[in-house]
């Protein structure tokens, strides 16, 4: 059964992609949950539409590039807003996100042709190409290096706000770098995860892990385990049942979340 | 405590694995009902019109198996992406027959994934062999029409000649009033014009006959002639081509531009409605104005997405709205192209 499955090149590519990206989601997700940035990553996901629209307007054939550039600018802007420390920064972020989404939708639906882009809403992991896998490997390496270098400082920042403030310059750089990384991760994976579900995949494993973890080490490990497990399991189930992959992964991740929630309550 | 947690996580993941494998297993069992011979030539088709055409061409011919890719349950084909099941089937297919003209948005992915799969693009075929090109509302490639016409016709086996003459006739009717530009994003719902559908059938038959291009009779060429005659004789326009010839119509779905064309009617206003389509107020009033100004008596619409706009049109103007089928959704059998077209024509006649 499995040997048949891997005789399809697209399944091999999809599996490799899942194995590359799901640990990253698990890892980065812990920090997003920890720093309460769920709004942030959601806004970023939606801004992918605007990035594509910008690319289309400027006549860039490869919209991935315009998506990444726009995503990075948007991430830095959102960071700037939340750094201002306004009480309403959550609201501001969602206003920006809605505005960006609306702009993207408006542009892409000119002449009623949004249908050409609707695939990006749900994503399609089976269409992933070898070149995109190479991009993912590069991203994997970058995030891993960043993680090893800066995880301690990032954690410190998220735990001790005052401590963090006292070293404000390096903190700012660190936070911006992290935001750029999230933007890269979101933009490079959105094509096959889909705008509607990408945030769920970022948040759920980390949130599940948080339900049962007592320290950071556990938190990170469990999050990665949950993420990879949901990814692989979701891909296989979707392969055999012929249902979309992204939603299947999210369903499994949600089951894990509820189970850990109940366990954690005890 | 720590141990308990590890055991909990392990148990959790194991039970999810077990539950999902068992669920998947039974799901597959319940849905698995194909038992076809492995060594048949597997011909996949991308959409219902092409599927119906292929079924007819291969009707009763040994050694072929025809399967349609899964079809959208809502919306139109061009919004559609392939499922895993489709990709699996395609990896085993020998030939993929598509409508073409941009209708299959996933085509490039397929070509990339299966470089050896033979793809028959009916739209391109018709365009190249006949100088026809689909419409915005019907655009003609002037250069090709003028030049190598005669020899092209000669080189076509079967009734390609007939088809070529037919499209000539069709294109001549409109060639003077439209500028020609080549746009592959154009309206590719060509099957809605029965004459162009016949060209599609021709193109499919030619592709399937490729191995023995000589003109001796084969089961395929026999089927082809039979089906062409059927299309010729059984599609009943009920005099509509006379009643509506030269009259003005409006459409709420691109596909009906070809219905209008097959009846000789002019499309004076188009609003392409589907699920993601947002229509602005300005557009609506412009559309209604166009209906009034051009004395449009009848509007062709699809029920799912056109009903509310249709109601508005009937309330605001004197035009009648008729709801037709596009053959995009659902599953069909070999005879349904003719029945659907005929039921469309009856609906139009009933409302006039
Ligand atoms: Zn559409
Ligand atoms: Zn359509």
């Amino acid at each position: 059964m499995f040997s048949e499955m891997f005789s399809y090149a697209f399944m091999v590519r999809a599996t490799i992609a899942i194995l590359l990206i799901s640990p990253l989601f698990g890892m980065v997700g812990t920090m997003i949950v920890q720093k309460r940035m769920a709004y942030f990553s959601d806004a970023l996901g939606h801004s992918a539409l605007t990035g594509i629209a910008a690319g289309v307007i400027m006549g860039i054939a490869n919209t991935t590039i315009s998506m990444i550039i726009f995503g990075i600018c948007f991430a830095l802007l959102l960071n700037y807003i939340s750094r201002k420390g306004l009480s309403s920064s959550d609201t501001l972020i969602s206003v920006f996100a809605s505005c960006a989404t609306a702009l993207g939708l408006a542009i892409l639906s000119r002449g009623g042709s949004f249908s050409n882009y609707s695939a990006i809403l749900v994503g399609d992991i089976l269409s992933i190409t070898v070149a995109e896998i190479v991009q993912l490997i590069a991203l994997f390496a970058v995030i891993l290096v960043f993680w090893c270098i800066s995880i301690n400082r990032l954690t410190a920042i998220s735990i001790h706000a005052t401590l963090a403030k006292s070293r404000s310059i390096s903190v700012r750089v660190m936070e911006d770098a992290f935001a750029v990384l999230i933007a890269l991760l979101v933009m490079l994976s959105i094509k096959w995860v889909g705008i509607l579900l990408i945030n769920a995949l970022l948040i759920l494993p980390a949130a599940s892990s948080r339900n049962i973890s007592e320290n950071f080490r556990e938190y990170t490990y469990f999050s990665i385990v949950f993420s990879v497990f949901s990814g692989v399991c979701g891909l296989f189930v979707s392969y055999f049942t012929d249902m979309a992959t992204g939603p299947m992964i999210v369903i499994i991740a949600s089951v894990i979340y509820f189970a850990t929630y109940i366990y954690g309550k005890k | 405590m720590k141990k308990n947690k590890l055991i909990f996580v392990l148990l959790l993941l194991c039970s999810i694995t077990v539950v999902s494998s068992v669920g998947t297993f039974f799901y597959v069992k319940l849905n698995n009902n194909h038992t076809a011979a492995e060594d048949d030539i597997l011909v996949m088709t991308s959409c219902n019109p092409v599927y119906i055409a292929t079924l007819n061409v291969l009707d009763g011919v040994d050694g072929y198996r025809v399967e349609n890719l899964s079809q959208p349950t809502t919306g139109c084909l061009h919004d559609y992406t392939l499922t895993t099941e489709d990709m699996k089937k395609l990896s085993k297919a020998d030939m993929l027959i598509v409508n073409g003209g941009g209708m299959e948005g996933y085509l490039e992915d397929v070509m990339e994934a299966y470089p050896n799969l033979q793809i028959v693009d009916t739209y391109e075929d018709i365009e190249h062999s006949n100088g026809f090109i689909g419409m915005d509302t019907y655009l003609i490639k002037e250069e090709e029409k003028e030049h190598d016409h005669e020899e092209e016709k000669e080189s076509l086996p079967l009734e390609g000649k007939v088809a070529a003459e037919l499209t000539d006739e069709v294109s001549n009717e409109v060639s003077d009033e439209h500028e020609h530009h080549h746009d592959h994003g154009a309206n590719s719902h060509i099957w809605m014009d029965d004459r162009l559908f016949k060209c599609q059938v021709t193109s499919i038959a030619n592709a399937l006959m490729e191995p023995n291009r000589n003109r001796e009779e084969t089961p395929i060429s026999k089927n082809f002639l039979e089906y062409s005659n059927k299309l010729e004789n059984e599609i009943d326009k009920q005099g509509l081509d006379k009643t509506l010839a030269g009259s003005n119509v409006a459409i709420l779905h691109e596909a009906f531009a070809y219905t209008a064309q097959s009846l000789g009617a002019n499309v004076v206003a188009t609003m392409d409605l589907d699920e993601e389509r947002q229509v602005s107020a300005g557009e609506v009033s412009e559309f209604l104005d166009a209906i009034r100004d051009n004395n449009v008596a009848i509007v062709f619409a699809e029920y799912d997405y056109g009903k509310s706009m249709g109601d508005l049109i009937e309330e605001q103007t004197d035009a009648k709205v008729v709801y037709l089928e596009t053959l995009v959704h659902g599953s069909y059998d070999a005879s349904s192209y003719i029945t659907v077209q005929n039921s469309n024509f009856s609906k139009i006649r009933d409302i006039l």
Side-chain angles (χ1 to χ4, degrees), chain A residues 112-116 118, chain B residues 75-80 253 272-277:
Chain A
S113 61
F114 183 70
S115 43
N116 300 342
S118 55
Chain B
C76 200
L77 207 59
H78 33 242
D79 312 332
Y80 194 64
H253 189 299
D272 194 32
L273 298 176
D274 63 27
E275 58 196 319
E276 332 76 5
R277 182 84 160 85

Side-chain angles (χ1 to χ4, degrees), chain A residues 166-235:
Chain A
S166 65
R167 296 181 295 179
S168 60
I169 293 171
S170 74
V171 168
R172 213 176 280 177
V173 172
M174 185 70 64
E175 283 184 336
D176 282 345
F178 184 59
V180 168
L181 273 191
I182 301 178
L184 277 174
L185 179 60
V186 168
M187 295 307 164
L188 282 181
S189 42
I190 206 148
K191 216 176 134 187
W192 48 267
V193 177
I195 289 173
L196 296 176
L197 293 178
I198 193 153
N199 211 35
L201 291 189
L202 272 171
I203 304 298
L204 278 172
S208 315
S209 167
R210 209 172 135 101
N211 283 336
I212 59 169
S213 305
E214 285 149 65
N215 56 49
F216 252 86
R217 184 177 286 265
E218 272 180 41
Y219 181 33
T220 314
Y221 285 159
F222 280 134
S223 176
I224 294 175
V225 168
F226 290 153
S227 182
V228 174
F229 178 83
S230 324
V232 172
C233 192
L235 177 68

Side-chain angles (χ1 to χ4, degrees), chain A residues 34-237:
Chain A
Q34 185 67 28
K35 287 161 67 68
R36 299 181 194 288
M37 287 169 77
Y39 266 110
F40 175 87
S41 52
D42 194 42
L44 256 183
H46 285 80
S47 78
L49 273 178
T50 329
I52 297 174
V56 170
I57 284 188
M58 293 184 291
I60 300 172
N62 185 351
T63 45
T64 313
I65 293 172
S66 63
M67 226 159 69
I68 289 175
I69 295 173
F70 185 84
I72 290 175
C73 297
F74 197 67
L76 294 177
L77 171 76
L78 293 185
N79 246 9
Y80 177 78
I81 294 171
S82 44
R83 201 174 290 139
K84 286 268 168 184
L86 302 171
S87 57
S88 57
S89 66
D90 276 2
T91 319
L92 253 175
I93 287 180
S94 37
V95 169
F96 266 101
S98 318
C99 181
T101 313
L103 199 67
L105 281 173
I107 295 168
L108 292 179
S109 64
R110 279 176 315 170
S113 61
F114 183 70
S115 43
N116 300 342
Y117 306 98
S118 55
I120 194 104
L121 295 179
V122 193
D124 179 13
I125 192 157
L126 301 178
S127 68
I128 200 157
T129 62
V130 175
E132 283 163 330
I133 289 186
V134 173
Q135 287 171 4
L136 289 184
I137 293 176
L139 179 70
F140 188 86
V142 170
I143 292 192
L144 215 59
V145 169
F146 177 83
W147 203 256
C148 294
I149 296 174
S150 58
I151 178 62
N152 289 331
R153 264 184 286 175
L154 270 176
T155 341
I157 294 168
S158 69
I159 295 174
H160 308 286
T162 39
L163 169 91
K165 274 206 185 93
S166 65
R167 296 181 295 179
S168 60
I169 293 171
S170 74
V171 168
R172 213 176 280 177
V173 172
M174 185 70 64
E175 283 184 336
D176 282 345
F178 184 59
V180 168
L181 273 191
I182 301 178
L184 277 174
L185 179 60
V186 168
M187 295 307 164
L188 282 181
S189 42
I190 206 148
K191 216 176 134 187
W192 48 267
V193 177
I195 289 173
L196 296 176
L197 293 178
I198 193 153
N199 211 35
L201 291 189
L202 272 171
I203 304 298
L204 278 172
S208 315
S209 167
R210 209 172 135 101
N211 283 336
I212 59 169
S213 305
E214 285 149 65
N215 56 49
F216 252 86
R217 184 177 286 265
E218 272 180 41
Y219 181 33
T220 314
Y221 285 159
F222 280 134
S223 176
I224 294 175
V225 168
F226 290 153
S227 182
V228 174
F229 178 83
S230 324
V232 172
C233 192
L235 177 68
F236 289 175
V237 172

Side-chain angles (χ1 to χ4, degrees), chain B residues 75-78 103 187-189 191 253-255 272 274 328:
Chain B
C76 200
L77 207 59
H78 33 242
M103 189 59 80
N187 185 349
S188 47
H189 306 78
W191 67 86
H253 189 299
E254 272 189 320
D272 194 32
D274 63 27
V328 169

Side-chain angles (χ1 to χ4, degrees), chain B residues 235-268:
Chain B
I235 288 189
D236 180 9
K237 295 193 176 161
Q238 313 184 355
L240 286 170
D241 39 350
K242 302 216 168 55
T243 333
L244 285 179
S247 71
N248 292 338
V249 299
I251 55 175
L252 291 181
H253 189 299
E254 272 189 320
F256 301 131
Y258 288 99
T259 308
Q261 174 181 280
S262 77
L263 298 172
N266 307 318
V267 177
V268 292

